[in-house]
Amino acid sequence: MNMSDYRKVTDRIYPSDKCREEVMNMRSDNKRKKIKHRHTGKAVAAIAVAVVAACGGTVAAAAKLGAFERLSLKNTRTVTNTAGDEFPIDKFDKNDYASIAPAAVDVDDTEPQTNEDITISIESVYCDGQELIFALNGSLNNGNSVGAGYISCRATLYVNGKYQEPINPYGCSFVIDEDEENSFTGSVTYILTGKNKITETSDIELNLAGFNAREKYWTDPLLESEAPVSLRTQVKPNLSLVRDFGENGITAEKDGFYFTVYSISPAMMLCHGGYPESYDIAMQEEIENGTEDGYCHAVHPLVFVFDEDGNYIEGLPMNPIDMPDGELASACVSTDSKTLTIKVGDKNCQSNENGSIEFDDQYGHQSFGYITEFTLDLDE
Amino acid sequence: MNDVQMALIYDKYSSAVYRAAFAYCRNAADAEDITQETFIKRFRTDIDFPDDKAEKAWLMKVAANKCKDLFRSARYRYFYNSVPLDEANLVYESPEESTVYHAVMELPPKYRLVIHLYYYEGYSVTETAKIIGRSETAVQTQLYRARKLLKEALGKGMYL
């Protein structure tokens, strides 16, 4: 991987024909027209706390299953494109909801909230003090006359009035419930480390805005709604859910390669892996020497984690997580494994003289040149 | 400037301006607004550029300033930390493309812009500094920090 990958993606980005048309239409005006910001179909209102009165906007869980059960089913559902190729119904959310569901708590004391286009409520919350995951109900106030199957939006969280950094780069996403016409289930995840951990019952304010309703996650928006929906509730953390290995975590290392696990909960494993600085220096020198393909030349170590049965433990799409020890952690699917096998592979080749590391993940079958491996005993 | 000249200027530079705006804003709507405002300013400004390179650099500078203005607005002050990447406009032909692109898009906005100008547009540190209105030292520092963050995201840690 190198910056040519960024260039290739960027080369495929173009402004729309409508953008050109609007520029050409405005160019000869004597008065400057205010350019309508296309996000804003409605004025961005102050945070709304009105009780819902929308037509057709029922937000009670349409299915008999709980919200986290529906989210668990979501990860088994697929959609197809016009060519018949199958894709996950929501490719941006990889949480293991089957593990999370038993530890979630239903929210009974919060009214649904609405802007002019969408009505949302919090149905259930998972909170272990460190990971905070909301399961949401949603419906379109137009009865879903647009035929949407997927809704995305931005999410902003305050805990006891303090802003929390988003952790999922994709924000919040909803998918239409199976066999339903206007009932959506959504989720958004936050990870709160260090001083941001929730240790007692806390006031939560979750603001969702910038809604895009689409048929599928890759299709054009059918409905765009900017105005925020503000949801408030209280959460009580279940701290016993987290197996906490302390501020510095538990680490195994070999020849300068290392892997640290900070915590394991039903929601995820927070961990961090690394390699000797000599590899950094080699790659950095190639970049600074003007070699654009630096990453293609230097050995590029990456850490892969397997459980005691040899199963690959997949990563979750999260922003790097600031840990109290100063490192940036990643999030993986949780595990009950007593030991972990950490394999270090060279991302620049599929195999080398030492062999290969092979596994299947969301992208398909993977193979990398073998560098080394070691184990981490989680029962130490 | 007549209609034909304006159309030529737009068709020559719109992709570059839009891509830089998208790198900063991460969504098509804002990137197109910034593109429109940039070219409206160009069409209403009576400047004779010595060459195409100078004209393009001027447009990129205007676009960069418009991006900063947008992010100072009340809407972005409230929401910008959680503006998701507009995936609808992106096409990946390999997992590596997706991984690298997302890693760049997760950088802070000012780092994204210098990375885009330096690596995608091929501007030098000096040229990049002039476009974004910062010193060469500041650009070098931003590039260094951006590379460090990219290394941490792509090279040091879990494969996601």
Side-chain angles (χ1 to χ4, degrees), chain A residues 6-7 10-14 16 20 22 27 37-39 154-155 163 207 273 275 300-301 319 328 361, chain B residues 3 11 18-19 27 30 32-33 36 75 78 81-82 84 91 97 106 116 119-120 152 155 157 159:
Chain A
Y6 174 80
R7 284 197 289 271
T10 303
D11 280 343
R12 302 182 197 116
I13 297 172
Y14 294 93
S16 66
R20 186 183 193 281
E22 290 185 2
R27 79 231 179 276
H37 188 78
R38 268 162 291 174
H39 275 316
R154 304 188 298 266
Y163 171 80
N207 299 318
Y275 48 80
H300 187 175
N319 291 331
L328 291 173
D361 68 5
Chain B
D3 292 356
D11 292 338
Y18 177 79
R19 288 165 184 166
N27 72 87
D30 289 335
E32 289 197 344
D33 282 350
Q36 290 174 11
R75 183 173 71 88
Y78 185 73
N81 273 334
S82 42
V91 176
E97 287 185 7
E106 285 309 308
H116 180 84
Y119 284 105
Y120 182 77
E152 285 169 356
Y159 168 66

Side-chain angles (χ1 to χ4, degrees), chain A residues 248-266:
Chain A
N248 296 315
I250 182 171
T251 300
E253 75 89 30
K254 177 181 177 184
D255 300 330
F257 297 95
Y258 65 91
F259 189 78
T260 299
V261 173
Y262 294 99
S263 64
I264 300 176
S265 73

